[in-house]
Amino acid sequence: SAVISQKPSRDICQRGTSLTIQCQVDSQVTMMFWYRQQPGQSLTLIATANQGSEATYESGFVIDKFPISRPNLTFSTLTVSNMSPEDSSIYLCSVGGLAGGNNEQFFGPGTRLTVL
Amino acid sequence: KNEVEQSPQNLTAQEGEFITINCSYSVGISALHWLQQHPGGGIVSLFMLSSGKKKHGRLIATINIQEKHSSLHITASHPRDSAVYICAAPMGGATNKLIFGTGTLLAVQP
């Protein structure tokens, strides 16, 4: 299994500002993903974070709004830019492709974001 | 129509009851995930299964690939089992990208 930590665990931000969320894994992983869970909704994949190259975004999500970095195999960041109240969500990172593992996916504890 | 559907959406049980949550999916999959989300938001992976049945403590997950249906059972339920239970299926191919069901909110009362 993998132990995943996210920072911050929660934040309250003002409209128009940006927040960067960090995701750290305790082992090297092939895949890292960022999800959003809006209030009362299920999880939606934002993008796949690719090590050493640009992230792959899902339909409806763009790099200017959600820039992602992945400098190595254990760390990634997601920035929520120019925030509005509609960005209030839980943001989760997940990892897959552990060495010697199967297709199991592990999730971080989430970052609860409230935009005023 | 969501490709992964769960029922029921909400479930209230008395402590000790046997609980079943169902998941149906319309996509061809290699494996199905069951996840647990507590009120704080963090998600824990409970099971990943591609056939048959898996058991972990009081939790049992079954899957019927032909019928595209999976169930999560909780035996001797306890208030600490109260959470949202989510099934998820890979989007296809060999990727780990998941499509999530809408979740089942379980409340176990003492």
Side-chain angles (χ1 to χ4, degrees), chain A residues 10 31 33 35 37 41-45 48 56 58 90 92 95-97 102-110 112, chain B residues 30-31 33 35 37-48 54 86 91 94-98 100-103:
Chain A
R10 59 176 61 230
M31 302 179 202
F33 304 95
Y35 290 90
Q37 186 179 35
Q41 304 294 314
S42 189
L43 284 82
T44 301
L45 180 65
T48 302
T56 304
E58 297 301 308
I90 298 173
L92 296 111
V95 304
N102 48 29
N103 285 331
E104 193 161 7
Q105 197 165 135
F106 301 93
F107 289 82
R112 186 180 293 271
Chain B
S30 56
H33 299 253
L35 311 168
Q37 184 174 33
H38 280 281
I43 289 180
V44 173
S45 179
L46 298 176
F47 295 103
M48 186 185 74
K54 284 191 175 180
I86 304 168
M91 286 188 181
T95 70
N96 285 48
K97 295 194 296 184
L98 300 177
F100 294 84
T102 52

Side-chain angles (χ1 to χ4, degrees), chain A residues 49-79:
Chain A
N50 300 310
Q51 194 263 331
S53 64
E54 192 172 285
T56 304
Y57 290 84
E58 297 301 308
S59 175
F61 298 97
V62 294
I63 188 171
D64 290 345
K65 176 66 176 177
F66 297 102
I68 288 170
S69 78
R70 189 171 173 198
N72 55 51
L73 293 177
T74 63
F75 184 78
S76 178
T77 67
L78 168 74
T79 299

Side-chain angles (χ1 to χ4, degrees), chain B residues 18 34 45-63 71-76:
Chain B
F18 181 84
W34 279 102
S45 179
L46 298 176
F47 295 103
M48 186 185 74
L49 68 165
S50 55
S51 66
K53 179 169 78 173
K54 284 191 175 180
K55 184 175 188 292
H56 185 259
R58 294 180 293 105
L59 300 177
I60 303 168
T62 64
I63 190 168
S71 293
L72 177 69
H73 306 284
I74 304 175
T75 62

Side-chain angles (χ1 to χ4, degrees), chain B:
Chain B
K1 177 173 163 55
N2 199 12
E3 292 177 287
V4 179
E5 293 193 339
Q6 289 183 234
S7 62
Q9 286 189 320
N10 294 280
L11 181 57
T12 300
Q14 294 297 313
E15 183 172 358
E17 284 186 11
F18 181 84
I19 290 165
T20 295
I21 300 170
N22 295 300
C23 177
S24 297
Y25 51 92
S26 58
V27 295
I29 64 170
S30 56
L32 186 103
H33 299 253
W34 279 102
L35 311 168
Q36 179 191 57
Q37 184 174 33
H38 280 281
I43 289 180
V44 173
S45 179
L46 298 176
F47 295 103
M48 186 185 74
L49 68 165
S50 55
S51 66
K53 179 169 78 173
K54 284 191 175 180
K55 184 175 188 292
H56 185 259
R58 294 180 293 105
L59 300 177
I60 303 168
T62 64
I63 190 168
N64 185 317
I65 293 291
Q66 287 73 29
E67 295 185 3
K68 296 184 176 176
H69 180 270
S70 177
S71 293
L72 177 69
H73 306 284
I74 304 175
T75 62
S77 59
H78 190 276
R80 65 174 173 267
D81 296 325
S82 299
V84 176
Y85 293 84
I86 304 168
C87 67
M91 286 188 181
T95 70
N96 285 48
K97 295 194 296 184
L98 300 177
I99 304 173
F100 294 84
T102 52
T104 295
L105 176 59
L106 171 65
V108 181
Q109 297 177 343

